[in-house]
Amino acid sequence: MLTIILAQITQKRKLQEKIENTRLSRIDSWKKNLKEFKRSKYAKLHDDSVTIEDIKEQRKHATKIRVRRSRELERKNSNYDETVAKRKKKQFYDVQETYENEIRELYSHVCNSCGKICKKNQVKTLKRSTLKQKGFRSKFIKKLFSVENSDSEEFCTTCVTYINRGKIPKLSLENGLKFSVVDEDIQKLNRIEERLLAPRHVFQTLWTVNGSTGQFKTKGGIVNVHVDMDTTVHYIPRAIDDSNMILVK
């Protein structure tokens, strides 16, 4: 038993010695390699074959590489800025197009009863067939569709409430609110001739909203001055005193 224990101890010692020897040999080889590396580096630094021209060429090459990299970075940044600008421009034009389409389609629905121009959410569709199914007479339905040359079947919410009660809306064109047809001879008149033949002269002030190119608005009161048509017909050309106008100098 004792011999077996002694044999194991000797084996362990031999193994430890072997490991220690390999470690020391590796350290020695590493030190040798380090010395050789230092010698080669020192030799390169103090090599007489390397001239000043070689050093200048190396520096030129390094500067070329640096300039090339900086230009590539600038090109990438410029391309990025261009893409961002294009994206913003496209977004602006898309928003502008949607805005113009919404404005164009904002008030494009006409009520068939009162002729009012409404938004899309302010009108409802009432077909003739549905009105007949509700029990309305054809004469009543014909009066509801007062707007001429209209293929739509849309009515504003105010008129729909009257129609559901079985009444003609108060603002319907059938209640004497329809404009009379203008004669062809009157349509051929110019502005001066219209002014001479007008039974009333209208005085009102017109202003523009948001600058000279904006929409027009009326400000103040509107005055209608009655004109005697007999005087206009018998005294053409009229004198300034008979023109119902004030001469301002």
Side-chain angles (χ1 to χ4, degrees):
M1 187 72 181
L2 185 62
T3 55
I4 294 168
I5 293 167
L6 290 170
Q8 289 178 355
I9 291 167
T10 53
Q11 284 180 359
K12 284 182 180 180
R13 283 179 180 175
K14 286 180 180 178
L15 185 63
Q16 287 177 357
E17 287 176 358
K18 191 176 181 180
I19 292 166
E20 187 69 22
N21 291 327
T22 53
R23 190 176 70 80
L24 292 171
S25 63
R26 285 179 181 177
I27 290 168
D28 292 334
S29 64
W30 180 75
K31 285 180 179 179
K32 286 179 181 179
N33 292 327
L34 184 63
K35 285 179 181 179
E36 288 177 358
F37 175 74
K38 286 181 178 180
R39 285 174 185 172
S40 63
K41 190 175 181 182
Y42 182 78
K44 284 181 180 178
L45 289 171
H46 296 82
D47 192 3
D48 296 332
S49 62
V50 179
T51 59
I52 296 169
E53 293 178 355
D54 295 334
I55 295 168
K56 287 181 179 179
E57 286 180 359
Q58 289 177 0
R59 287 180 180 176
K60 284 181 181 179
H61 184 66
T63 52
K64 283 180 181 179
I65 292 168
R66 203 181 300 115
V67 170
R68 193 189 304 152
R69 287 178 180 174
S70 63
R71 285 178 180 175
E72 287 177 357
L73 288 171
E74 287 177 358
R75 200 179 296 114
K76 286 180 181 178
N77 292 326
S78 64
N79 291 330
Y80 177 75
D81 294 336
E82 286 178 1
T83 52
V84 170
K86 285 179 181 178
R87 197 181 298 132
K88 286 182 179 179
K89 194 174 182 181
K90 188 180 179 183
Q91 288 176 357
F92 172 75
Y93 282 123
D94 291 339
V95 171
Q96 186 180 9
E97 188 177 357
T98 53
Y99 172 74
E100 288 177 355
N101 290 329
E102 287 178 358
I103 292 296
R104 199 178 293 112
E105 296 176 0
L106 189 60
Y107 292 96
S108 59
H109 300 271
V110 181
C111 177
N112 278 292
S113 181
C114 62
K116 184 172 70 174
I117 301 172
C118 307
K119 298 179 183 178
K120 189 177 181 180
N121 58 355
Q122 293 177 346
V123 294
K124 291 183 179 180
T125 304
L126 290 176
K127 295 182 179 180
R128 288 182 172 85
S129 59
T130 54
L131 292 172
K132 285 180 181 179
Q133 288 176 2
K134 287 182 179 181
F136 295 118
R137 295 180 180 179
S138 58
K139 191 176 181 180
F140 177 77
I141 295 168
K142 190 177 181 180
K143 286 183 178 180
L144 292 177
F145 291 88
S146 305
V147 178
E148 296 178 355
N149 300 323
S150 178
D151 297 329
S152 65
E153 296 176 335
E154 294 176 341
F155 295 89
C156 64
T157 54
T158 307
C159 294
V160 168
T161 53
Y162 282 97
I163 292 166
N164 290 329
R165 294 173 189 171
K167 297 179 181 179
I168 294 173
K170 288 184 178 181
L171 297 176
S172 177
L173 299 178
E174 290 293 327
N175 294 331
L177 299 175
K178 191 181 290 186
F179 287 104
S180 58
V181 180
V182 181
D183 193 43
E184 293 181 358
D185 296 331
I186 296 173
Q187 291 180 4
K188 293 177 183 178
L189 299 175
N190 55 27
R191 285 192 172 183
I192 297 171
E193 292 171 349
E194 287 178 358
R195 185 75 176 174
L196 289 171
L197 297 175
R200 290 176 182 82
H201 288 173
V202 181
F203 292 91
Q204 64 182 125
T205 55
L206 297 175
W207 299 76
T208 55
V209 184
N210 296 327
S212 60
T213 58
Q215 293 180 343
F216 291 99
K217 69 175 182 179
T218 303
K219 190 175 181 181
I222 299 172
V223 181
N224 293 314
V225 179
H226 180 71
V227 179
D228 190 3
M229 292 298 297
D230 295 331
T231 307
T232 305
V233 172
H234 290 94
Y235 295 98
I236 293 177
R238 293 184 295 174
I240 295 173
D241 297 332
D242 297 330
S243 62
N244 294 322
M245 297 175 68
I246 299 170
L247 181 63
V248 180
K249 294 183 180 180

